[in-house]
């Protein structure tokens, strides 16, 4: 058993509490990882706010991490102690019908199919003050050590700086892959990105790498525009500057609407606006943002009748155990600059300050 620090969420709506926790050794098919760095993702904030009905408290959140394998359970062959790894929020068991499908990046071990509050054997590897603590997505990267199933971890290049590539565990790969894999943005095309947090800015980077000629970045926080332009946006739009719906603004800017639009906020109304902003025949709208549980969308089906496509994207549409290591290699080859997405670096003791910065749009 390893004793270490972790940020524990004891109840909905309460700040995280940095506690000493006990982390049990890995069982068969499991890997214990020393987490070196973790991003703070909006999804973790949704956990604290109680947006997810299938998360059990107390829980150690965090899912955007990178670390080093400390020990392995019986039967583990894909990683060994000392390997640098990224834990995967969409696992890749390699055995289910979705894993066998070359066009799918889903896995039936995913949290959309079965809860991941406990390990697959329905027990926890975390205890604190004598109480069982739940896992989050099997990852719980807000702990200095965590235990994950072997099929929820990917070995990466040993040269990778873990304090940068941790973002590839969720935010960067989700946004970049939505443009490259899900939308398949074509050279010379026009794109609109709704929401310029870390994931939205990663969509901008993906559209630029794909060769889009026009990338319109949309946010009500004008403070995001300089970074968006630095990463490849050609135009920036604040919907609050206009008296008309933003989809009308985008249609006027582009003639018939954009070729690709991306909703990276998680609001039902912006999802519909993003769909309406792409051209009526060949336009592709990709939903990346996570709406609160129970959200519903109502929209005019004529928006789809002429041929628009509405798609969702999880973790960037790539099979995680292949896609994530490839992105790490691309980063090391300087195909994109992840470092520009990092605004603050904090010790775990200041994790609540990190969430305050997130909520302030900083």
């Amino acid at each position: 058993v390893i004793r270490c620090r972790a940020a524990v969420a004891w109840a909905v709506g309460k700040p995280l509490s940095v506690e000493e926790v006990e982390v049990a050794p890995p069982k068969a098919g499991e890997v214990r990882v020393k987490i070196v760095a973790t991003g703070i993702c909006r999804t973790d904030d949704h956990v604290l706010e109680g947006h997810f009905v299938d998360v059990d408290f107390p829980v150690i959140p965090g899912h955007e991490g990178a670390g080093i394998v400390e020990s392995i359970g019986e039967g583990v062959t894909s990683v060994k102690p000392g390997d640098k790894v990224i834990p995967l929020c969409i696992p890749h068991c390699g055995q289910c019908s979705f894993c066998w499908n070359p066009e799918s990046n889903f896995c039936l071990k995913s949290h959309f199919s079965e809860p991941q509050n406990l390990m697959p054997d329905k027990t926890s590897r975390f205890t604190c003050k004598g109480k069982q603590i739940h896992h989050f997505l099997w990852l719980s990267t807000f702990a200095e050590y965590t235990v994950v199933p072997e099929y929820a971890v990917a070995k990466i290049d040993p040269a990778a700086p873990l304090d940068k590539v941790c973002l590839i565990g969720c935010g960067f790969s989700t946004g970049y892959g939505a443009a490259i894999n899900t939308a398949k943005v074509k050279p010379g095309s026009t794109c609109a990105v709704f929401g310029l947090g870390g994931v939205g800015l990663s969509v901008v980077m993906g559209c630029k790498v794909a060769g889009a000629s026009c990338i319109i970045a949309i946010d009500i926080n004008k403070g995001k525009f300089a970074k968006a332009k630095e990463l490849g946006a050609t135009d920036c739009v604040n919907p609050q500057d206009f008296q008309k719906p933003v989809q009308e603004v985008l249609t006027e800017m582009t003639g018939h609407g954009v070729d690709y639009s991306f909703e990276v906020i998680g609001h039902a109304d912006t999802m519909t606006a993003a769909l309406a902003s792409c051209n009526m025949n060949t336009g592709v709208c990709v939903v990346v943002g996570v709406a609160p549980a129970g959200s519903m969308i109502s929209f005019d089906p004529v928006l789809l009748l002429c041929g628009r496509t509405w798609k969702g994207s999880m973790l960037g549409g790539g099979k995680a155990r292949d896609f994530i290591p490839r992105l790490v290699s691309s980063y090391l080859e300087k195909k994109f600059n992840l470092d520009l997405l990092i605004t603050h670096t904090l010790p775990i003791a200041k994790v609540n300050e990190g969430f305050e910065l997130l909520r302030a749009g900083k």
Side-chain angles (χ1 to χ4, degrees), residues 27-49:
K27 295 185 181 179
E30 298 176 357
V31 179
R32 186 159 61 181
V33 178
K34 177 184 181 181
I35 296 292
V36 174
T38 181
I40 296 179
C41 176
R42 178 69 70 179
T43 304
D44 300 308
D45 198 33
H46 291 337
V47 171
L48 302 182
E49 292 169 347

Side-chain angles (χ1 to χ4, degrees), residues 11-348:
V12 170
K14 295 281 198 303
L16 289 160
S17 177
V18 177
E19 308 275 6
E20 183 180 84
V21 299
E22 293 86 42
V23 185
K27 295 185 181 179
E30 298 176 357
V31 179
R32 186 159 61 181
V33 178
K34 177 184 181 181
I35 296 292
V36 174
T38 181
I40 296 179
C41 176
R42 178 69 70 179
T43 304
D44 300 308
D45 198 33
H46 291 337
V47 171
L48 302 182
E49 292 169 347
H51 284 192
F52 298 125
V53 293
D54 54 353
V55 172
D56 290 335
F57 288 79
V59 62
I60 298 172
H63 63 285
E64 191 178 87
I68 298 164
V69 174
E70 177 271 335
S71 58
I72 57 175
E74 183 186 338
V76 171
T77 57
S78 62
V79 295
K80 64 185 184 305
D83 284 347
K84 285 186 177 180
V85 293
I86 288 179
L88 308 173
C89 43
I90 300 286
H92 185 175
C93 75
Q95 303 297 319
C96 70
S97 58
F98 285 100
C99 284
W100 281 101
N101 183 343
E103 295 182 5
S104 159
N105 81 318
F106 192 67
C107 172
L108 286 172
K109 302 287 188 189
S110 156
H111 62 283
F112 289 100
S113 300
E114 57 179 70
Q116 294 177 336
N117 304 319
L118 298 169
M119 294 298 282
D121 70 350
K122 306 304 178 201
T123 63
S124 173
R125 303 293 166 270
F126 297 118
T127 51
C128 179
K129 300 177 180 174
K131 288 187 176 174
Q132 172 182 276
I133 307 296
H134 292 93
H135 296 248
F136 176 58
L137 300 180
W138 287 336
L139 307 186
S140 294
T141 60
F142 288 0
E144 290 175 319
Y145 287 86
T146 190
V147 178
V148 298
E150 181 183 13
Y151 47 72
V153 70
K155 181 179 174 179
I156 60 170
D157 192 307
L162 298 177
D163 62 331
K164 306 292 193 295
V165 300
C166 61
L167 299 183
I168 292 175
C170 176
F172 177 76
S173 55
T174 295
Y176 184 85
I180 300 290
N181 297 327
T182 308
K184 297 182 169 61
V185 170
K186 293 183 176 134
S189 60
T190 55
C191 301
V193 182
F194 287 71
L196 301 176
V199 182
L201 292 171
S202 300
V203 176
V204 170
M205 293 166 81
C207 293
K208 183 184 179 185
V209 167
S213 61
C214 171
I215 304 169
I216 305 168
I218 302 144
D219 205 297
I220 57 172
N221 179 352
K222 288 184 175 178
K224 304 273 190 183
F225 291 167
K227 182 66 67 80
K229 289 209 161 173
E230 188 179 3
L231 292 171
T234 55
D235 302 89
C236 294
V237 170
N238 180 348
Q240 295 176 336
D241 289 345
F242 299 88
Q243 297 297 312
K244 59 182 104 175
V246 69
Q247 56 265 39
E248 292 182 20
V249 175
L250 296 175
T251 301
E252 286 175 13
M253 287 175 71
T254 55
H256 299 287
V258 295
D259 299 311
Y260 306 96
S261 64
F262 302 85
E263 201 278 357
V264 205
I265 303 167
H267 290 166
D269 54 349
T270 42
M271 289 176 185
T272 312
L275 177 68
S277 71
C278 61
N279 85 64
M280 65 171 64
N281 180 225
T282 57
V284 175
C285 175
V286 181
V287 172
V288 186
V290 179
S295 298
M296 301 298 284
I297 293 178
S298 65
F299 70 101
D300 183 347
V302 171
L303 284 171
L304 295 178
L305 192 64
C306 293
R308 281 186 183 92
T309 304
W310 215 355
K311 306 180 81 166
S313 183
M314 289 187 307
L315 200 61
K319 288 190 184 292
R321 289 189 93 180
D322 308 322
F323 181 48
I324 299 288
R326 277 206 316 273
L327 285 179
V328 172
S329 299
S330 295
Y331 167 73
L332 292 172
E333 292 160 11
K334 296 188 165 48
K335 288 188 179 172
F336 46 77
N337 187 359
L338 269 184
D339 304 18
L340 293 172
L341 295 174
I342 298 170
T343 56
H344 299 75
T345 302
L346 303 164
I348 191 172

Side-chain angles (χ1 to χ4, degrees), residues 347-358:
I348 191 172
K350 294 189 175 180
V351 64
N352 287 309
E353 288 181 35
F355 277 92
E356 285 164 20
L357 290 163
L358 178 83

